[in-house]
Amino acid sequence: MEDLLKNTINDLEKSYDELGQMKNQLLSMSLDSFNYLFEGEDPMYKKMDKKSRKETISALQEDLLPLFEENKFEEGVKRVKNYVKLLQGNLEKQK
C-alpha cells in the first residue's frame, strides 16, 4: 500500500511539473505575438504611429502584465516592462 501511495504521489508530481511547463509555454506564446515589433536591426515599433504605440502599451500593461504577474511568469513580466519602456521612450521622441 505504501508503494502504491508513493507511486501515485510521484505520478502526480510529474503531472504537476508537466502542467507548469505547459502553462509557461502558453504564456510565452501570448508574448510571442508582440516580439516581431521589437526584433531586427530596424524594429517595427520605431515606425508605429502614436495611436498604435499607445494601443500596444495598453494591451501590454492591461492584458499581458497582470496575467504574467498572476502566474508568476517572471520572464514575461521583464519582457513586457522592457517593451513598454521602449514604446514610451519612442513616444517621448515624437513630441
Side-chain angles (χ1 to χ4, degrees):
M1 182 68 161
E2 185 177 330
D3 287 341
L4 177 64
L5 289 175
K6 284 181 183 180
N7 288 337
T8 301
I9 289 172
N10 288 337
D11 289 344
L12 288 172
E13 286 175 345
K14 183 179 176 185
S15 295
Y16 180 77
D17 290 340
E18 289 172 1
L19 286 173
Q21 290 173 358
M22 286 174 46
K23 177 185 78 172
N24 286 343
Q25 288 174 343
L26 289 171
L27 291 170
S28 183
M29 286 172 57
S30 64
L31 186 58
D32 287 345
S33 61
F34 289 90
N35 288 344
Y36 74 95
L37 296 172
F38 302 93
E39 295 174 341
E41 289 181 29
D42 192 20
M44 288 181 65
Y45 81 92
K46 291 182 177 182
K47 300 172 187 160
M48 293 169 70
D49 61 32
K50 189 174 184 176
K51 180 181 177 190
S52 296
R53 282 197 186 108
K54 286 184 175 185
E55 288 172 352
T56 304
I57 288 170
S58 177
L60 289 167
Q61 289 181 326
E62 295 175 16
D63 298 328
L64 287 186
L65 190 57
L67 178 67
F68 292 165
E69 288 173 340
E70 180 182 326
N71 287 285
K72 297 176 178 67
F73 185 56
E74 293 302 320
E75 176 190 343
V77 170
K78 288 177 188 175
R79 286 174 51 196
V80 165
K81 287 181 178 180
N82 184 51
Y83 289 168
V84 168
K85 184 177 176 180
L86 290 171
L87 289 165
Q88 287 174 333
N90 232 356
L91 278 174
E92 294 296 320
K93 289 180 185 177
Q94 281 188 332
K95 288 184 178 180

